[in-house]
Each structure stands twice: as C-alpha cells, then as structure tokens.
Amino acid sequence: MAVRLRRRRAAGCEAWKGVRAGNAAWLAPWESGDPEHGGGITFRRWVQRQRRDETEGTGVVLLIEFQMRIVGQISLGGIVYGAMRTGVVGYWVSQDATGRGIAPMAVAMLADWELHDQAGPHLHRLEIAVMPHNERSLRVVAKLGAHREGLRAGYMYVHGGWRDHLTFSLLADDAPEGFA
C-alpha cells in the first residue's frame, strides 16, 4: 500500500487546505473545538504551535499521503514522559479515500514510529478515543487489535457539545515487531 506519513512543509500547505476545505461537511460531525468559543487562530499560528510542540516533544502532526496525494492528517498529542510514556492519537481521512485501509495503516505506521523507532519518542502506550457512533473509526481500532478500555463520559468537545468517547489503547508490547 502506498501510504506515507510526512511533516507539513510550506509547499504543501495549500494542498492540505484544499483537502480540508473539500471535506468540511464530511468532517463536521467529528470536528473538535473550544467550548469557550475563544478566538480562533490563524493557519500560520496553528502551524507555529505545531512546530513548538514538535520541538518540545509534546506532539506532532503529520500529513497522510496515498499515491502521492494528501488524503488526511494524523497527530500524536498529549505526550507524557516519565513513568507513563503515553500519547493520544487523532486522525482524519478524506471522504474519497475511505474504505481502502488508509487510516489503519497510518495509525499503524505512527504507532511503529512512536513506540519502536529509534528516532521516535519511545512511548509505551497510545490512546485512541472514538465517539461510540463513529463506525469507521471503530473499524480502524478493531483492525489494529486495540484494547478497548471503556467509556469516558463527556470526554471531548465535538460538534458543539461534550461527547462521550470509547477509549482504546495500543501498547508497545502488543506488537514488538511493529503494527504495520
């Protein structure tokens, strides 16, 4: 499968914006936001925050490419080091790219980098939170063999309200040779 994860470059920003804008309605039911309705930030400021998080080792946002075309995004955030060594994975894939195994492969590739790669953060545990009615993401975690941990009530502000999420985890010990 020709899935690739890469960091955003200035040259790819317009292509990413186009994919995101073209999928606004598709992504709306899963769109997280600020419950305080604080002022939005510019795209440039958002990219600056990503770069800061990368530098500090607290998060990374990567583009998902399929057949040399941007089809989505995957992120690792909320990284905690020390005794926990954990992080939270989030992702989206464009509507025209669904049903091809791209999201599970992207999560597997990110997990391999996060958990096993010498250049990665060497985490032990990854968490994926999925709204209970998001059947596509439930299939992603099932394909990866993620551990179902339970329901978190009011876990995240999504699509205008606090939404429950099912949480799943991937542990480094689950796939010593890698998930991909």
Side-chain angles (χ1 to χ4, degrees):
M1 174 171 290
V3 174
R4 187 174 92 139
L5 305 182
R6 72 168 174 87
R7 285 189 164 78
R8 182 185 328 269
R9 296 184 301 265
C13 286
E14 292 306 315
W16 178 89
K17 286 180 188 178
V19 172
R20 186 74 180 170
N23 283 277
W26 166 253
L27 298 171
W30 324 112
E31 195 70 47
S32 60
D34 180 0
E36 300 295 323
H37 306 292
I41 62 172
T42 65
F43 181 76
R44 180 181 175 156
R45 180 74 180 122
W46 181 65
V47 170
Q48 288 172 341
R49 284 186 183 177
Q50 289 176 24
R51 296 294 181 247
R52 182 198 65 214
D53 291 348
E54 287 178 24
T55 300
E56 295 174 355
T58 59
V60 63
V61 177
L62 303 169
L63 300 177
I64 302 171
E65 290 184 340
F66 178 67
Q67 297 178 340
M68 305 297 289
R69 184 175 65 91
I70 297 170
V71 296
Q73 175 180 295
I74 190 164
S75 62
L76 169 65
I79 295 175
V80 177
Y81 294 100
M84 290 183 64
R85 301 207 68 81
T86 188
V88 179
V89 176
Y91 55 88
W92 61 266
V93 174
S94 63
Q95 186 172 11
D96 68 341
T98 60
R100 299 179 188 189
I102 294 169
M105 179 57 75
V107 174
M109 292 168 69
L110 184 68
D112 288 349
W113 173 75
E114 296 167 12
L115 302 172
H116 300 299
D117 194 295
Q118 290 301 320
H122 302 158
L123 302 180
H124 171 71
R125 179 184 181 281
L126 304 179
E127 181 176 301
I128 303 169
V130 177
M131 290 172 46
H133 62 281
N134 187 339
E135 294 177 18
R136 289 186 183 277
S137 278
L138 291 172
R139 283 196 297 273
V140 169
V141 294
K143 287 179 181 179
L144 293 167
H147 305 277
R148 183 176 172 156
E149 295 185 333
L151 181 73
R152 286 190 171 179
Y155 178 70
M156 189 183 303
Y157 193 80
V158 176
H159 197 60
W162 289 102
R163 310 291 179 202
D164 296 349
H165 282 67
L166 295 168
T167 57
F168 299 85
S169 66
L170 297 173
L171 304 176
D173 299 340
D174 292 340
E177 302 302 315
F179 289 91

